[in-house]
Amino acid sequence: MIEDGFMYLSVLVAMAALMVAFEKRFSTNKFFKFIPGIVLIYIGAAVMQTCGLFADNDSTSAMYSGVKGALLPAMLAIMLLKCDMRSIIKLGPRMFGGYLVAVVSILFGFVIVYAVLQPFYVDDTWKAFGALAGSWTGGSANMVALQDILKVPENIFGYALMMDTINYAVWVMFMFWLVPFAGAFNRWTKADDGFIQQGFNEIAAASEEEQTGPEFQHILYLLGIGLLISSLSTFAGEHLPEVGAVINGTSWTIMIASVIGLVLAQTPVAKIPGALDVSNVMLYIIVALIASQSDFSNIAQAPIYLVSGFLIMLVHLIIMLLLGKLFKYDLFTLGVASLANIGGMASAPMLAAAYNRTLIPIGVIMALMGSFLGTYFGMFVAKILALL
């Protein structure tokens, strides 16, 4: 049994590195297309905890809270450095409308499904659904942030991560399967998709990724900026008042770090290469830490959560179809808006490329919108579910 906090952290980071190495080495394997490395990290750390590898003492608890508390705000701030509001504005009201349709339908899905199936869930499931809503309107980073804000029990958070993986994988396949039917769908909704190409060159130029990887100084810049934002945000959050059951010190810390990251995204700081790489390293370490506090003792509850995930997506699909028909939306806009929420940066650009490679920046920008707003949408859903 590992009782030393530093050894506890080193084992988790080493395990995370090993899982990423496997994913990169066997990237063409179908297994990793459905079960990404981040999920294997969660499973690996949870198995270690279930087997009693980590001691529950002051040393490991202090390491857990200290490292997670430092990295979480830093990760969000660094990740948001690529969220250029000027590029987002150039998408125009039509694309904003499609994004809003996706968000509203997903939020309705969570509320409806939770209200109907509430008797079948374990206690505090509303917290896990709030965290998952953050992921399905933003990304994994938002879900991790909400796990801390809402104090989601680690065991139940495992169900949310499972839904975020399995339900999401099926939805991605469904969205790609629909691509060949875009013409028929657009005729059914009477959509005019000509606006997609208007002003595209400006969007592409604004959201172009760095052509060279980060160097030593870039990584140091990002670490310095991220950790400083984290410390200042934590200090401010601890001195701001609590508002209800959702807005607490952690909530303030996350919101302050997110706003600072978004503001810096409009400055030359956003041009520092490597922001996504550094923030992803932090994300994987945080996921490993969270998983190390959970176990699989309640795995028998898993089926009802998977069913819930598919029902949420069914509600999302029905509302998207109805509003798409009503407002004459094209399949590209609805599909990319949906995956920008549920899939985030991992899949929205790929779906955009399936229609036309020149449309990739639209998928990137819509996903970045969710990365900033997802935490707040998740908090909103949690607040509603707590009242049911």
Side-chain angles (χ1 to χ4, degrees):
M1 179 179 288
I2 295 176
E3 298 181 351
D4 178 70
F6 180 68
M7 183 176 291
Y8 157 72
L9 176 64
S10 65
V11 168
L12 289 175
V13 174
M15 183 272 297
L18 183 62
M19 294 302 179
V20 171
F22 280 144
E23 183 181 25
K24 296 298 182 183
R25 174 65 177 82
F26 303 103
S27 59
T28 58
N29 192 294
K30 293 183 178 180
F31 176 79
F32 286 101
K33 292 182 179 179
F34 295 97
I35 308 294
I38 192 171
V39 176
L40 293 179
I41 290 171
Y42 190 97
I43 293 173
V47 167
M48 291 179 185
Q49 173 64 12
T50 304
C51 295
L53 182 62
F54 303 126
D56 184 12
N57 58 23
D58 292 341
S59 181
T60 57
S61 297
M63 183 63 70
Y64 172 82
S65 58
V67 174
K68 181 184 173 187
L71 291 186
L72 184 55
M75 174 199 68
L76 291 172
I78 294 173
M79 189 171 287
L80 287 170
L81 289 179
K82 295 304 174 185
C83 190
D84 190 341
M85 292 300 296
R86 291 163 294 189
S87 297
I88 292 173
I89 292 172
K90 290 176 182 178
L91 288 178
R94 187 77 177 170
M95 294 298 292
F96 276 116
Y99 178 80
L100 183 61
V101 166
V103 169
V104 170
S105 58
I106 291 170
L107 300 187
F108 268 102
F110 274 98
V111 174
I112 293 171
V113 172
Y114 182 83
V116 173
L117 298 180
Q118 186 175 359
F120 299 96
Y121 299 136
V122 299
D123 294 339
D124 290 331
T125 291
W126 66 271
K127 297 180 180 180
F129 275 20
L132 182 62
S135 178
W136 283 4
T137 55
S140 298
N142 303 90
M143 182 167 69
V144 170
L146 284 159
Q147 190 271 344
D148 203 42
I149 291 173
L150 300 172
K151 309 301 180 187
V152 184
E154 282 77 8
N155 291 338
I156 306 177
F157 184 73
Y159 298 143
L161 187 64
M162 175 186 63
M163 296 167 68
D164 193 40
T165 301
I166 298 175
N167 296 132
Y168 152 74
V170 174
W171 188 252
V172 170
M173 289 188 291
F174 178 64
M175 287 291 102
F176 276 91
W177 176 77
L178 288 177
V179 172
F181 303 100
F185 181 90
N186 294 344
R187 288 191 294 272
W188 176 66
T189 60
K190 300 180 180 178
D192 177 14
D193 58 2
F195 74 95
I196 294 174
Q197 294 293 344
Q198 295 177 3
F200 172 74
N201 290 334
E202 295 182 10
I203 295 175
S207 62
E208 185 178 0
E209 295 289 335
E210 299 98 348
Q211 297 300 314
T212 58
E215 298 180 4
F216 154 75
Q217 68 269 25
H218 300 137
I219 296 175
L220 187 59
Y221 296 158
L222 292 169
L223 286 174
I225 292 170
L227 293 176
L228 179 61
I229 292 174
S230 177
S231 63
L232 295 176
S233 300
T234 301
F235 177 80
E238 291 174 348
H239 291 81
L240 290 171
E242 294 187 3
V243 182
V246 175
I247 308 297
N248 50 36
T250 304
S251 306
W252 284 120
T253 299
I254 297 302
M255 288 189 287
I256 292 169
S258 298
V259 170
I260 294 175
L262 187 65
V263 171
L264 290 178
Q266 321 311 315
T267 71
V269 174
K271 297 181 180 179
I272 300 176
L276 293 179
D277 291 331
V278 172
S279 60
N280 277 335
V281 169
M282 294 180 176
L283 173 62
Y284 279 36
I285 294 174
I286 293 170
V287 168
L289 285 168
I290 292 173
S292 70
Q293 302 295 307
S294 66
D295 60 55
F296 294 138
S297 59
N298 294 321
I299 196 68
Q301 286 284 335
I304 188 62
Y305 288 92
L306 288 177
V307 171
S308 299
F310 287 121
L311 290 176
I312 291 169
M313 290 178 170
L314 178 61
V315 174
H316 167 56
L317 176 63
I318 293 172
I319 295 176
M320 289 276 282
L321 289 175
L322 293 176
L323 294 181
K325 177 66 173 178
L326 179 63
F327 295 108
K328 300 181 180 180
Y329 269 103
D330 59 282
L331 186 60
F332 167 81
T333 299
L334 294 178
V336 172
S338 177
L339 281 195
N341 282 278
I342 295 177
M345 190 64 69
S347 54
M350 292 191 296
L351 182 63
Y355 287 90
N356 191 319
R357 289 192 61 82
T358 61
L359 299 175
I360 290 176
I362 294 181
V364 171
I365 296 170
M366 292 186 74
L368 286 173
M369 288 171 57
S371 68
F372 176 70
L373 297 173
T375 301
Y376 305 100
F377 289 138
M379 291 168 62
F380 177 70
V381 167
K383 188 69 174 178
I384 294 176
L385 299 186
L387 298 175
L388 296 179

